[in-house]
Amino acid sequence: MKRAILSNFKQGILSISFAVGTVAIAVLIFLSSVETILNAVRGSGLLYSGFHTSLVLNALKSDSIAFFTPVAAVLPMAVAYVEDIKSNYVRYYLFRSSRSAYIFGRICGSFVSGGLVLLLGILLAYGASSLLFLPMERAADAGVENILGLRDVILSSLLFFLSGGFWALLGLAMSTLMESKYIAYASPFILYYLLVILHERYFTSLFVLSPKEWLVPSDKWFLGSWGPAVIVLELTLLAAMLFAINAERRLRQL
């Protein structure tokens, strides 16, 4: 079981698609802040202290980052199950291991790699923002503000990590229904879009439905940032169970 989990971690994190997704998140954060960056560069004086942090945090609130979240999360391993079935690799895997080890390894690998794509992308953007703009900021209380700013970025990154893990697992689970790569890639984004429509057009008071609230929670949540974290973890468990049930049934047929 331990080897299965570690091999799935390596497969997801060391893949080209993982690197592409991570860099894409970082680039998109800067693209979402082009106007802010241009105004800062055109200014004559020093930037306010903490500018590099607010740049990233404000970008994370944008719709472009939110919509790209399920797209980036599914890149590393959402299609791993389908590829194993289509290539018959799973037959050779089961000769040396068990169905439970395979299923649990795929669940862990997909969740972690899907979450890390977003988390590392955000931290990469924060590091680049610090290198570019920190020397241009005022030094007043910079040390304290940098620590507080980094804390806020990490907390936001953790919420993105949980959401990324859920979307990756959802894609993995949906791929077991039709054994299609297109379903694995498209289903998380489709569900995301449907939830946004339901919340914004029909159930405006039901903020729990909004995937944007899972990423950047408002003050409506009773438990604060823990509220969306609990919701996403529950959805993740459901997605994992869906994958486990369908994958177990399919693997018994091999």
Side-chain angles (χ1 to χ4, degrees):
M1 183 71 73
K2 183 179 179 180
R3 291 182 178 179
I5 296 174
L6 291 177
S7 63
N8 277 276
F9 285 169
K10 291 179 180 179
Q11 180 181 349
I13 296 174
L14 299 180
S15 64
I16 296 177
S17 56
F18 181 87
V20 171
T22 300
V23 174
I25 288 292
V27 171
L28 190 58
I29 288 175
F30 279 96
L31 291 178
S32 302
S33 309
V34 169
E35 184 176 354
T36 303
I37 294 174
L38 291 177
N39 291 334
V41 173
R42 290 170 182 170
S44 57
L46 293 175
L47 302 175
Y48 61 86
S49 182
F51 173 84
H52 66 288
T53 300
S54 63
L55 178 76
V56 175
L57 292 177
N58 289 332
L60 295 181
K61 299 177 182 178
S62 65
D63 290 337
S64 57
I65 296 294
F67 273 103
F68 192 69
T69 295
V71 177
V74 300
L75 291 178
M77 288 193 67
V79 299
Y81 168 80
V82 175
E83 291 177 343
D84 291 344
I85 295 294
K86 298 295 184 181
S87 65
N88 286 325
Y89 166 78
V90 68
R91 294 177 180 268
Y92 301 101
Y93 186 97
L94 294 179
F95 283 143
R96 304 181 59 182
S97 185
S98 63
R99 289 192 297 268
S100 59
Y102 172 82
I103 292 172
F104 192 69
R106 282 295 184 229
I107 290 174
C108 292
S110 182
F111 176 80
V112 172
S113 60
L116 282 179
V117 163
L118 305 180
L119 187 146
L120 294 182
I122 294 172
L123 294 183
L124 178 61
Y126 178 76
S129 179
S130 300
L131 291 175
L132 291 173
F133 301 110
L134 192 55
M136 304 167 59
E137 297 177 8
R138 295 190 182 93
D141 298 328
V144 176
E145 291 187 10
N146 289 338
I147 294 175
L148 295 177
L150 179 59
R151 181 201 62 183
D152 293 338
V153 170
I154 291 176
L155 290 176
S156 295
S157 299
L158 291 177
L159 290 179
F160 272 80
F161 174 86
L162 293 177
S163 289
F166 163 66
W167 293 122
L169 267 181
L170 178 65
L172 187 69
M174 295 302 293
S175 71
T176 63
L177 300 179
M178 300 182 63
E179 295 185 2
S180 169
K181 292 183 180 180
Y182 302 106
I183 295 297
Y185 283 131
S187 54
F189 178 78
I190 293 174
L191 178 60
Y192 179 96
Y193 193 68
L194 288 175
L195 289 175
V196 170
I197 292 177
L198 288 174
H199 172 254
E200 294 183 351
R201 295 187 181 181
Y202 303 104
F203 305 101
T204 54
S205 61
L206 197 58
F207 61 91
V208 179
L209 276 179
S210 176
K212 298 178 184 179
E213 288 281 343
W214 305 347
L215 301 174
V216 185
S218 63
D219 55 2
K220 301 176 183 178
W221 293 87
F222 176 70
L223 298 176
S225 297
W226 288 103
V230 172
I231 295 296
V232 173
L233 286 175
E234 291 176 348
L235 293 174
T236 301
L237 180 60
L238 291 176
M241 292 174 60
L242 177 62
F243 170 74
I245 293 171
N246 290 333
E248 174 72 20
R249 183 184 301 116
R250 182 68 174 88
L251 294 179
R252 286 183 180 276
Q253 301 173 1
L254 298 178

